[in-house]
């Protein structure tokens, strides 16, 4: 097996051939993040006798593979027709190639990547994170949510356009979550451009003419999957059941549009996860992996020195 770096055109052609067209790997989507975060797209494929076995898209800057934003999963494709041995070997060959080319590597793996032992074997550190997946064809909820939904809804909902007033509405929440102003600007720029591409859905909730709630979702038209990138806080409307009505409207709307599931995000935060769990989603884990050449070389050097000294000690005491 060998690893090859591809051009953007070659990557697009490969994705069509192997039927791998996740929104995170599409050229126009990647271009938005490249412009907003000043990074470069990089594409790699592992081949065995000219047959693809694994593929990866990522971003790089200053000799490192980086994650420019939380709102991204690295597109990783594995030939699921192959067994564990071949897939693990393909991943290790890919990672060996990347380690020779980059001093630092950060990846957020999609939920489909369940086995990260090859990353550990190549000196990566791994972190387990969690998200919620909701089946949009089965809108069963916790009793507390059903109790709210039985009442007459005091809100109206609208599929809206991106606007400066919407940015102001979401800004206060992002600041409360610890986002810096420059980061918020970039997040809004990326959301705006993705919305212009038709990849972003804006659902707003109104009480009369007042905007009281909003959700920003990424749409994957090919996989029929949505990603709940950001939903506003209730701001005094919690007791009125704002989020229960808003979530239910979004789930129903997406289901009617033919979407199969939604990634709800937020499962790593206790207070958020408690509430989102009431919509009966499926808790699932994914991995974030990191590699840094200097610590890896130091650790490898220490192990070699310990082995060398242990052998000397064995000779002296024999």
């Amino acid at each position: 097996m060998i690893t090859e770096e591809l051009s953007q055109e070659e990557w697009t052609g490969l994705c069509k051939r192997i039927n791998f067209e996740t929104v995170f790997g599409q050229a126009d989507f990647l271009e938005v993040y490249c412009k907003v975060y000043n990074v470069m797209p990089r594409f790699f494929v592992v081949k065995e006798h000219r047959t693809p076995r694994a593929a990866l898209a990522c971003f790089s800057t200053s000799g490192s593979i980086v994650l420019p934003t939380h709102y991204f999963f690295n597109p990783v494709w594995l030939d699921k027709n192959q067994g564990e041995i071949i897939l693990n070997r393909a991943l290790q060959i890919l990672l060996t190639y990347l380690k020779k080319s980059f001093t630092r590597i950060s990846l957020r793996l999609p939920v489909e990547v369940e086995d990260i032992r090859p990353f550990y074997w190549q000196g990566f550190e791994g972190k387990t994170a969690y998200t919620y997946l909701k089946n949009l064809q089965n809108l069963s909820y916790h009793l507390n949510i059903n109790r709210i939904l039985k009442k007459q809804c005091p809100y109206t909902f609208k599929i809206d356009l991106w606007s400066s007033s919407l940015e102001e509405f979401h800004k206060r929440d992002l600041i409360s979550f610890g986002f810096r102003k420059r980061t918020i600007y970039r997040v809004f720029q990326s959301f705006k451009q993705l919305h212009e591409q038709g990849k972003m859905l804006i659902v707003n909730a109104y009480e009369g003419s007042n905007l009281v709630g909003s959700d920003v979702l990424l749409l994957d038209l090919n996989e029929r999957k949505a990603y709940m990138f950001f939903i506003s806080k209730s701001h005094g409307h919690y007791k009125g059941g704002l989020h229960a009505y808003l979530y239910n409207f979004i789930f129903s709307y997406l289901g009617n549009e033919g979407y199969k599931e939604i990634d709800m995000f937020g499962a790593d935060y206790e207070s958020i996860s408690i509430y989102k769990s009431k919509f009966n989603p499926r808790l699932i884990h994914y991995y974030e992996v990191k590699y840094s050449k200097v610590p890896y070389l130091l650790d490898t050097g220490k192990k070699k020195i310990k082995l060398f000294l242990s052998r000397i000690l064995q000779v002296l005491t024999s």
Side-chain angles (χ1 to χ4, degrees):
M1 293 189 197
I2 60 170
T3 299
E4 297 178 2
E5 183 164 7
L6 304 178
S7 67
Q8 185 167 286
E9 291 74 20
E10 290 171 329
W11 168 262
T12 300
L14 171 68
C15 290
K16 289 182 179 179
R17 290 196 302 274
I18 61 178
N19 194 29
F20 179 60
E21 298 187 274
T22 170
V23 65
F24 293 110
Q26 293 172 10
D28 51 355
F29 176 93
L30 296 170
E31 184 179 0
V32 168
Y33 279 2
C34 287
K35 290 181 178 179
V36 171
Y37 294 100
N38 193 27
V39 291
M40 290 180 56
R42 307 295 288 266
F43 310 99
F44 304 93
V45 62
V46 179
K47 293 181 179 180
E48 182 180 33
H49 307 303
R50 297 185 179 181
T51 301
R53 297 301 185 207
L56 166 72
C58 55
F59 298 106
S60 73
T61 183
S62 303
S64 297
I65 292 177
V66 298
L67 274 171
T69 176
H70 172 76
Y71 303 105
F72 183 70
F73 286 99
N74 287 99
V76 178
W77 176 83
L78 298 172
D79 184 358
K80 293 298 185 179
N81 293 320
Q82 304 303 309
E84 176 183 312
I85 294 175
I86 291 179
L87 292 182
N88 284 347
R89 183 183 170 207
L91 272 176
Q92 290 210 72
I93 288 173
L94 171 62
L95 298 177
T96 298
Y97 182 93
L98 297 179
K99 285 163 56 179
K100 291 179 180 178
S101 305
F102 302 95
T103 56
R104 290 184 176 84
I105 302 171
S106 295
L107 300 170
R108 179 174 290 115
L109 305 177
V111 297
E112 291 79 11
V113 179
E114 299 176 348
D115 185 359
I116 65 166
R117 289 174 299 165
F119 290 89
Y120 291 134
W121 295 336
Q122 288 297 317
F124 281 69
E125 295 180 353
K127 172 189 173 183
T128 304
Y130 295 89
T131 190
Y132 283 125
L133 296 182
K134 175 64 179 175
N135 181 354
L136 295 174
Q137 307 306 313
N138 178 21
L139 299 187
S140 64
Y141 306 135
H142 187 274
L143 291 176
N144 288 348
I145 300 299
N146 289 329
R147 177 178 51 80
I148 294 172
L149 296 180
K150 287 180 180 179
K151 301 177 182 179
Q152 184 174 356
C153 178
Y155 310 104
T156 56
F157 304 98
K158 182 181 179 182
I159 308 301
D160 265 337
L161 300 176
W162 190 263
S163 64
S164 57
S165 60
L166 185 64
E167 291 182 6
E168 289 300 317
F169 184 81
H170 281 295
K171 184 183 293 184
R172 54 181 174 175
D173 289 337
L174 289 173
I175 290 175
S176 71
F177 278 116
F179 282 68
R180 297 179 179 178
K181 289 185 178 180
R182 180 172 177 80
T183 302
I184 293 174
Y185 172 78
R186 287 178 167 177
V187 167
F188 287 162
Q189 284 298 304
S190 64
F191 286 2
K192 178 182 178 181
Q193 292 180 40
L194 290 172
H195 184 265
E196 291 172 352
Q197 291 183 3
K199 291 181 170 62
M200 194 73 78
L201 179 70
I202 311 297
V203 182
N204 288 339
Y206 293 88
E207 186 178 49
S209 60
N210 297 320
L211 176 64
V212 293
S214 178
D215 197 355
V216 181
L217 304 103
L218 178 71
L219 302 177
D220 192 323
L221 299 176
N222 293 313
E223 295 190 348
R224 309 311 296 174
K225 182 177 181 178
Y227 296 83
M228 190 174 284
F229 269 7
F230 190 77
I231 188 165
S232 65
K233 293 183 178 181
S234 56
H235 297 294
H237 292 271
Y238 181 81
K239 292 184 178 180
L242 169 61
H243 279 167
Y245 292 114
L246 180 55
Y247 277 54
N248 185 60
F249 175 87
I250 292 168
F251 296 162
S252 300
Y253 175 85
L254 290 172
N256 291 334
E257 291 294 313
Y259 285 85
K260 297 178 181 178
E261 67 178 2
I262 181 170
D263 188 325
M264 298 177 67
F265 278 52
D268 283 320
Y269 300 93
E270 183 179 6
S271 60
I272 296 176
S273 69
I274 290 174
Y275 184 75
K276 291 193 174 186
S277 68
K278 295 179 180 180
F279 292 90
N280 294 346
R282 178 165 57 100
L283 180 67
I284 192 168
H285 67 268
Y286 63 93
Y287 298 105
E288 296 177 354
V289 293
K290 292 184 178 181
Y291 168 83
S292 181
K293 183 170 292 186
V294 174
Y296 174 75
L297 292 177
L298 288 174
D299 184 60
T300 303
K302 289 179 181 179
K303 291 178 180 178
K304 289 181 178 180
I305 292 173
K306 287 182 179 180
L307 179 60
F308 176 72
L309 292 176
S310 66
R311 287 177 177 175
I312 291 179
L313 183 61
Q314 289 177 358
V315 172
L316 293 176
T317 57
S318 61

